[in-house]
Amino acid sequence: MDIVQEAGLRGWRYRSTRNGEFRPWFLSIVYRLSRRRTPEWLPLPAGWDAPAPESLRSDIDPELLAAMRELPSRQRAALWLRYCDDLATANVARIMGCSETAAKQLLLRARDSLRARLVSRLKEDPQ
């Protein structure tokens, strides 16, 4: 069964336990299921790394994508949820099952690590 379908079923089953906004609550279910099935889960849309026709190519920088892939999976997920899904840090913490302080620290380490990877790639390939 697809992870989103299973998350939908679990969400329906446990709908009475929902507190606050729907989106962070549902994404926390999807996140937990994804982590159980695929520990090295990379929260990037399908096809970003696959060759695609020019009309369907994403605007994402391939160097950024490569650097994201090198990050530990929890850091990738935190960055994705905060900056791509545009969720508040409190919601990132809820989804990832940690305190808000821990989520802030995780995001800080993820940004620092991503920055270091991008700088080292820039030094390796100065064009």
Side-chain angles (χ1 to χ4, degrees):
M1 178 181 293
D2 182 57
I3 290 174
V4 176
Q5 289 174 332
E6 188 174 340
L9 289 173
R10 285 185 187 209
W12 179 256
R13 186 177 307 137
Y14 299 107
R15 66 190 178 276
S16 63
T17 66
R18 186 184 81 146
N19 296 341
E21 296 178 50
F22 173 78
R23 187 173 181 217
W25 175 78
F26 185 70
L27 285 175
S28 66
I29 297 170
V30 173
Y31 176 77
R32 283 191 309 270
L33 289 172
S34 299
R35 294 285 299 181
R36 283 188 198 126
R37 282 204 191 154
T38 312
E40 291 305 311
W41 173 63
L42 177 63
L44 294 174
W48 272 20
D49 57 347
E54 193 62 38
S55 61
L56 298 177
R57 287 191 197 259
S58 171
D59 291 335
I60 192 168
D61 183 348
E63 293 296 322
L64 176 60
L65 180 61
M68 282 281 287
R69 287 192 174 284
E70 294 173 3
L71 293 175
S73 61
R74 277 186 63 82
Q75 288 183 2
R76 288 190 305 249
L79 286 174
W80 182 266
L81 292 168
R82 176 65 185 99
Y83 298 107
C84 297
D85 280 344
D86 199 28
L87 295 174
T89 306
N91 289 330
V92 172
R94 180 178 179 192
I95 291 166
M96 299 190 74
C98 62
S99 69
E100 191 170 347
T101 303
K104 287 178 182 179
Q105 287 295 318
L106 181 61
L107 284 164
L108 176 67
R109 287 191 307 268
R111 285 190 305 265
D112 289 346
S113 185
L114 183 62
R115 184 179 303 113
R117 282 174 168 76
L118 288 170
V119 167
S120 71
R121 286 177 174 278
L122 190 61
K123 289 179 181 177
E124 288 174 4
D125 188 29
Q127 289 182 343

